[in-house]
Amino acid sequence: MSTTSDGTRAVRAGLPTPQQYEPTLPGPVFAAHFHLSGEPVGPYTYGRDTNPTWTHLERAIGELEAPGEQVETTVFASGMAAVSAVLLSRARTGDIVVLPDDGYQALPLVREQLEAYGVRVRTAPTGGDAQLRALEGAKLLWLETPSNPGLDVCDVRRLVAAAHEAGALVAVDNTLATPLGQRPLELGADFSVASDTKGMTGHGDILLGHVSCKDPELSAGVRRWRKVVGAIPGPMEAWLAHRSLSTVQLRVDRQCGTALALAEALSRRSDVTGLRYPGLPDDPSHATAVRQMRRFGSVVSFVLADKDTAERFLAGLRLVDDATSFGSVRSTAERRARWGGDAVPEGFIRFSVGAEDPDDLLADVESALDEAAG
């Protein structure tokens, strides 16, 4: 399917060979154990190890991560389970790991655990490829691009080349871009990691994550970690995720198109500052983004005058949920500073564009901004 387009690939990804009178996508398999006589040489033995529903989903994600290439994917119960699987399975006492200091809010929790195990952690910002300066002696470089919530972008090819020359593996958190926006494995990364809770499944009703690798040995280490800690997804969640993948191109194209329109509208307002969206030609990350991204994501960030203005804006929205997450078909927004931990102003808004009619959504945002300013 490497010669097909994103939409066709998404609709067909991971489907089993057609069998007469069998469903196109088999239903979820809930078995904890399987018939197993003699030597355990078959693919399915016990529910913590393997499951046919996972297999279909893992193949589907692999076809999106690197079309036409051999990719191994491991699915997890959440995005953080996938993140932890890479970092905690690879790092050993005395190793150096390089993380972004502006990444996902839960990443510092993983840092604390790594340091508790005697792993040395260095951090640097995503923007300006600043992590290059922290690579000496490192065993693993972790990139998050675009970063969440600041939407900075780093040059994946440049960082991968430098890291590999220094003897380090590279993992890319691709949650915000999805494989339709950016393919880390094709850019040279060793691991492509994502929280599929977000744009991949896109309906705000599933917790899921995955790790994809081209190297079978690296993949085996990740899969072993899943088995050891039991961070497995439920079969129903895996089946729903696979079903949701069939519309990912439709969703992402609509969301990215509206996100750009929203960013353009916000750029014309004097009460909005700190606007970031990699798809804007004047965004600081645009030049890097266009070299490695095929779509620029559904998230726009900006800053309002203060906490109260931001809260009035959120309260004034009628078509947007005040919720923490992104990538859903229903638009969400939040004042990110309410959680603490992110180095953002009190009036910082992370806005995730959904699949609503663009004119309706933009009118709702403009009206809420006017009310907040008035």
Side-chain angles (χ1 to χ4, degrees):
M1 298 203 334
S2 61
T3 60
T4 57
S5 64
D6 287 339
T8 303
R9 191 177 302 113
V11 168
R12 307 295 307 178
L15 297 181
T17 302
Q19 299 291 331
Q20 188 78 340
Y21 310 120
E22 293 294 325
T24 305
L25 176 61
V29 175
F30 294 104
H33 58 264
F34 301 80
H35 289 295
L36 185 65
S37 59
E39 296 300 320
V41 295
Y44 305 110
T45 58
Y46 185 65
R48 192 183 69 254
D49 298 340
T50 50
N51 178 290
T53 309
W54 303 347
T55 299
H56 296 316
L57 175 60
E58 289 170 343
R59 288 173 180 167
I61 293 174
E63 289 175 22
L64 298 178
E65 284 279 8
E69 300 189 55
Q70 192 67 34
V71 176
E72 295 190 12
T73 296
T74 306
V75 292
F76 288 87
S78 69
M80 280 307 297
V83 169
S84 300
V86 175
L87 287 166
L88 296 177
S89 71
R90 296 304 309 180
R92 302 288 184 270
T93 300
D95 285 352
I96 297 171
V97 170
V98 180
L99 303 177
D101 63 12
D102 54 349
Y104 178 54
Q105 190 184 53
L107 204 54
L109 301 178
V110 183
R111 174 182 181 171
E112 291 176 9
Q113 193 61 58
L114 287 168
E115 291 176 334
Y117 291 153
V119 176
R120 292 182 288 168
V121 179
R122 298 175 186 155
T123 63
T126 298
D129 299 340
Q131 289 171 279
L132 284 171
R133 297 190 289 273
L135 280 177
E136 185 177 354
K139 290 294 181 67
L140 180 65
L141 169 64
W142 187 273
L143 307 178
E144 184 178 308
T145 180
S147 62
N148 173 29
L151 302 184
D152 269 323
V153 173
C154 61
D155 187 332
V156 176
R157 291 186 185 89
R158 181 187 183 199
L159 284 155
V160 164
H164 286 172
E165 185 176 355
L169 296 171
V170 181
V172 177
D173 185 333
N174 200 42
T175 300
L176 201 145
T178 80
L180 273 72
Q182 180 173 263
R183 295 175 181 155
L185 299 180
E186 292 184 355
L187 298 172
D190 301 289
F191 304 92
S192 180
V193 187
S195 168
D196 300 317
T197 307
K198 313 298 194 298
M200 282 286 273
T201 59
H203 291 79
D205 55 8
I206 301 171
L207 288 175
L208 201 79
H210 80 267
V211 179
S212 292
C213 309
K214 290 184 180 179
D215 186 329
E217 184 177 345
L218 295 180
S219 183
V222 170
R223 196 167 292 261
R224 181 180 183 278
W225 180 264
R226 182 181 68 179
K227 177 178 179 177
V228 169
V229 302
I232 59 173
M236 191 66 189
E237 286 78 4
W239 184 84
L240 287 169
H242 196 169
R243 185 194 65 168
S244 297
L245 284 183
S246 62
T247 61
V248 66
Q249 182 260 339
L250 297 172
R251 292 185 279 105
V252 167
D253 277 355
R254 175 64 166 254
Q255 291 168 283
C256 292
T258 307
L260 178 59
L262 174 62
E264 290 171 342
L266 292 172
S267 71
R268 296 189 287 269
R269 296 192 62 107
S270 60
D271 53 348
V272 171
T273 61
L275 175 64
R276 296 301 304 271
Y277 183 67
L280 284 174
D282 59 352
D283 186 271
S285 291
H286 184 71
T288 301
V290 295
R291 292 197 298 269
Q292 64 192 28
M293 298 185 73
R294 300 160 60 242
R295 295 170 176 87
F296 299 108
S298 64
V299 178
V300 178
S301 68
F302 55 96
V303 180
L304 299 179
D306 50 37
K307 175 182 176 180
D308 291 341
T309 304
E311 294 290 357
R312 288 197 300 271
F313 164 69
L314 294 170
L317 293 166
R318 298 293 177 263
L319 302 178
V320 181
D321 296 332
D322 191 344
T324 184
S325 197
F326 57 87
S328 173
V329 291
R330 291 174 291 278
S331 291
T332 61
E334 71 170 332
R335 191 180 66 82
R336 193 64 187 164
R338 65 180 175 172
W339 297 100
D342 291 319
V344 296
E346 287 294 327
F348 181 97
I349 300 292
R350 185 182 69 181
F351 196 110
S352 172
V353 174
E356 298 88 357
D357 184 279
D359 291 340
D360 291 341
L361 184 63
L362 267 60
D364 190 39
V365 172
E366 295 277 10
S367 174
L369 286 171
D370 290 341
E371 289 180 21

